[in-house]
Amino acid sequence: MSLRIRDVVRIATAHRQREGAGFIVRRPFPGFELDMVDPFLLLDEMGPADYGPGEAVGAPDHPHRGFETVTYMLEGAFEHEDSAGYRGRIEAGDVQWMTAGAGIVHSEMPAREIREKGGRVHGFQLWVNLPARLKMTRPRYQEVPSSRIPTAQSEDGRARVRVIAGEALGAGAVIDTHIPIVFQDWTLDPGADVTLPLSDRLSAFVYVFQGSARLGSDGRLVHEGQAALLGPGEGVRLRGAEGETGRLLLLAGEPIREPVARYGPFVMNTREELLQAFMDFEAGRFGEITRTAERK
Ligand code: MN
């Protein structure tokens, strides 16, 4: 197998900021160093945060239109409900792939027991853009419990992967994506060394969220909290760093290459569509979350 290995062409260090009702996220992009990685609009690492009783906050009722949000929990649990009457819970290792499409109003909150008694929350939210032809598509949910997420490992066991989207080491994802997407959670022990084929048509980056890892043909060392944009090629080489285990997300997707008009929770192609989204939301056309008295 002789693949041209994609090298690191840029590193963006995540900054910490407040989101929703005030929870802390580490956000590699969008930011000053990296605006987006078409088709990806945003990546947030939520926590890891240890909340005391009554401290945990989330993102109460808010709308989305024109893209997809992907939530992947590592620790803790989130509760979700929306204007279509849908309600769910995402636990450690689970994935929720939500296509907001034409629009929903939803709330994303740490699970009730974490809000009340405290606990640890750690996870990710990724925003995946939709092409113009799909921006107003019907909202759709794909929820995959941890037990159904395919896993694989290298022959020496030093590299292990959970395949949320795409394919790695013979494991293929169960999630269906509108455009070709790779979303994988890798654990690399010292000595791990894997090379994966990855179509040159996809833009790709790696986000290291624990320890460090070596990327590309030159083994560039990338540290926790850094996103590394990968250049052209047909292969991705991931290696463990010396002395510590690293964990990272490998993300790749086919660029949409359309104009992006974004503001807050709306991502459209033009300013006019953005304005329309605001007007539709203000007019209540996204609906609202109905709650019965016994739920708070
Ligand atoms: Mn949301």
Side-chain angles (χ1 to χ4, degrees):
M1 189 162 65
S2 174
L3 299 169
R4 189 166 45 124
I5 299 298
R6 290 163 172 259
D7 288 325
V8 174
V9 292
R10 195 157 157 196
I11 287 185
T13 301
H15 53 282
R16 290 201 183 265
Q17 72 171 67
R18 287 178 184 277
E19 257 311 311
F23 61 93
I24 302 293
V25 299
R26 192 152 67 167
R27 175 173 294 174
F29 69 92
F32 293 114
E33 295 177 305
L34 193 59
D35 182 43
M36 65 179 284
V37 184
D38 190 8
F40 304 112
L41 300 157
L42 168 149
L43 178 65
D44 272 351
E45 180 180 3
M46 307 178 279
D50 291 296
Y51 293 111
E55 282 177 11
V57 288
D61 307 12
H62 60 280
H64 290 295
R65 174 181 279 180
F67 63 103
E68 304 183 288
T69 66
V70 183
T71 307
Y72 175 43
M73 293 305 296
L74 295 175
E75 293 177 87
F78 256 67
E79 285 166 0
H80 168 268
E81 53 188 331
D82 79 5
S83 49
Y86 185 82
R87 197 177 283 168
R89 190 181 154 99
I90 316 162
E91 310 226 12
D94 298 351
V95 176
Q96 180 199 67
W97 200 292
M98 182 191 85
T99 304
I104 51 116
V105 172
H106 74 165
S107 84
E108 302 159 280
M109 301 294 290
R112 188 175 188 148
E113 71 273 14
I114 294 175
R115 298 201 305 271
E116 287 174 358
K117 295 178 197 142
R120 191 173 171 85
V121 173
H122 190 196
F124 293 96
Q125 187 162 95
L126 174 73
W127 288 12
V128 184
N129 203 4
L130 287 169
R133 67 185 166 84
L134 290 170
K135 282 197 179 291
M136 295 300 280
T137 192
R138 252 178 110 86
R140 170 176 83 158
Y141 288 92
Q142 296 180 81
E143 288 193 335
V144 184
S146 184
S147 60
R148 283 190 55 226
I149 297 198
T151 59
Q153 58 176 25
S154 58
E155 262 171 50
D156 63 9
R158 288 179 177 153
R160 300 175 292 282
V161 62
R162 307 189 78 228
V163 181
I164 294 152
E167 219 184 285
L169 305 178
V174 297
I175 280 177
D176 169 49
T177 60
H178 288 291
I179 53 172
I181 301 281
V182 168
F183 185 157
Q184 298 167 357
D185 171 2
W186 285 86
T187 301
L188 303 168
D189 292 338
D193 188 350
V194 291
T195 297
L196 321 156
L198 184 70
S199 166
D200 201 16
R201 295 199 326 276
L202 308 189
S203 42
F205 75 97
V206 160
Y207 176 67
V208 177
F209 62 92
Q210 184 193 307
S212 48
R214 292 192 174 274
L215 308 177
S217 57
D218 57 352
R220 176 88 171 262
L221 194 59
V222 181
H223 300 284
E224 179 184 334
Q226 292 185 322
L229 196 59
L230 303 179
E234 304 81 34
V236 172
R237 188 171 179 192
L238 307 173
R239 275 180 274 182
E242 302 73 30
E244 64 175 345
T245 292
R247 285 192 72 183
L248 58 84
L249 300 183
L250 171 64
L251 288 152
E254 196 165 86
I256 293 170
R257 295 193 175 90
E258 289 177 2
V260 173
R262 66 195 280 177
Y263 191 81
F266 306 122
V267 184
M268 306 303 289
N269 293 109
T270 67
R271 248 188 92 76
E272 291 66 36
E273 291 166 351
L274 213 48
L275 204 58
Q276 187 65 51
F278 272 103
M279 291 191 302
D280 288 350
F281 175 59
E282 289 296 321
R285 288 184 204 113
F286 283 48
E288 60 180 296
I289 303 175
T290 48
R291 292 183 172 89
T292 53
E294 80 272 13
R295 287 183 53 86
K296 357 182 236 184

